[in-house]
Amino acid sequence: VLVHNGDDCVHATGTGTENIVVEDSTFFGGHGLSICGGGAECTVSNVLFTNNTMIDTSIGARIKLTSKTKGFVRNVTWSHLRMFHVKHPLIIDVGYHSRADAGRHAEMNISGIHLLDIQAHDDMPQDFAEEAQDRDSSELLRLGHGGGGKIAEAGSLLCSDHAPCRNVYMKDVQIHTDKKWICNTFLNLVEPERVTPQLTSCKHRFR
């Protein structure tokens, strides 16, 4: 499946959203594979994004909450994800549209987040133009117009006291950049394995 749009590539949000699988797809342009958003309530569980490719998107994998969002995000996995020319590969943002109020968040339960076998590269894939021609998708030949860019940070994983992130698993995550991770102490990582760049710049707690 090839998806080309100008907003969230896939957006799992609302109440009672559960048991979703998004797999074997290529996404060009847009704002990534997102959980929750600007709503006042969000209850999302058991979501699997697997074996997908992101090309020239502004964001790769994202959880986004405003200071008014309440509910939970449970058991969400991004696995076997390849990213090319994606500016912000991995984001947890509890201050979406409300940076000043990020610490005064409605109660949220974020737990069981899995980031597994993820690769992110600054450049566009070499065979992308050829593939686009094969698919007869001339719009995709406008390389660099999808909203992506060079990697800005390895990842930005910012939780809060009212929206802590518990049991976050990272394994085989390779962000090919010299940029650092941005995290805080409300992130609970469980024994991360084979993560680059190293998480030395990340303020976080290991379980």
Side-chain angles (χ1 to χ4, degrees):
V1 176
L2 178 64
V3 177
H4 181 201
N5 68 1
D7 207 321
D8 292 313
C9 301
V10 174
H11 191 187
T13 189
T15 58
T17 302
E18 60 183 1
N19 303 328
I20 296 171
V21 177
V22 178
E23 62 182 344
D24 301 330
S25 299
T26 297
F27 300 93
F28 171 76
H31 302 165
L33 305 175
S34 299
I35 299 292
C36 294
E41 187 171 358
C42 185
T43 58
V44 175
S45 62
N46 302 328
V47 179
L48 173 63
F49 301 101
T50 187
N51 197 32
N52 296 302
T53 300
M54 317 294 293
I55 300 175
D56 202 27
T57 62
S58 60
I59 297 166
R62 172 167 65 164
I63 297 173
K64 53 179 178 174
L65 312 167
T66 73
S67 60
K68 297 180 180 179
T69 309
K70 61 182 179 179
F72 58 81
V73 175
R74 298 173 184 161
N75 192 27
V76 176
T77 298
W78 290 267
S79 68
H80 311 302
L81 178 61
R82 300 294 176 262
M83 292 183 259
F84 300 90
H85 205 61
V86 173
K87 190 172 183 180
H88 305 285
L90 305 173
I91 289 183
I92 299 177
D93 181 5
V94 302
Y96 181 66
H97 288 176
S98 53
R99 300 288 177 186
D101 296 328
R104 298 187 292 275
H105 208 285
E107 295 293 336
M108 280 292 299
N109 179 358
I110 304 171
S111 62
I113 306 303
H114 298 77
L115 304 169
L116 310 173
D117 184 23
I118 294 174
Q119 298 267 348
H121 304 266
D122 266 329
D123 298 327
M124 303 286 281
Q126 292 182 352
D127 61 348
F128 181 62
E130 180 180 346
E131 179 182 348
Q133 288 177 328
D134 291 342
R135 293 174 181 268
D136 192 26
S137 301
S138 60
E139 179 68 17
L140 298 185
L141 295 176
R142 299 176 63 237
L143 303 183
H145 292 270
K150 297 292 186 181
I151 296 171
E153 72 283 318
S156 180
L157 310 177
L158 296 175
C159 309
S160 75
D161 55 347
H162 291 288
C165 300
R166 301 182 176 92
N167 298 333
V168 177
Y169 298 82
M170 299 177 70
K171 183 176 181 180
D172 296 318
V173 175
Q174 311 294 319
I175 311 299
H176 296 278
T177 182
D178 58 1
K179 303 297 176 59
K180 296 180 178 180
W181 293 89
I182 302 171
C183 316
N184 60 22
T185 56
F186 302 106
L187 172 69
N188 170 223
L189 289 173
V190 182
E191 300 178 355
E193 299 180 46
R194 296 182 293 281
V195 176
T196 60
Q198 293 185 2
L199 293 161
T200 52
S201 65
C202 212
K203 296 180 179 178
H204 58 276
R205 292 178 292 182
F206 290 105
R207 193 179 73 178

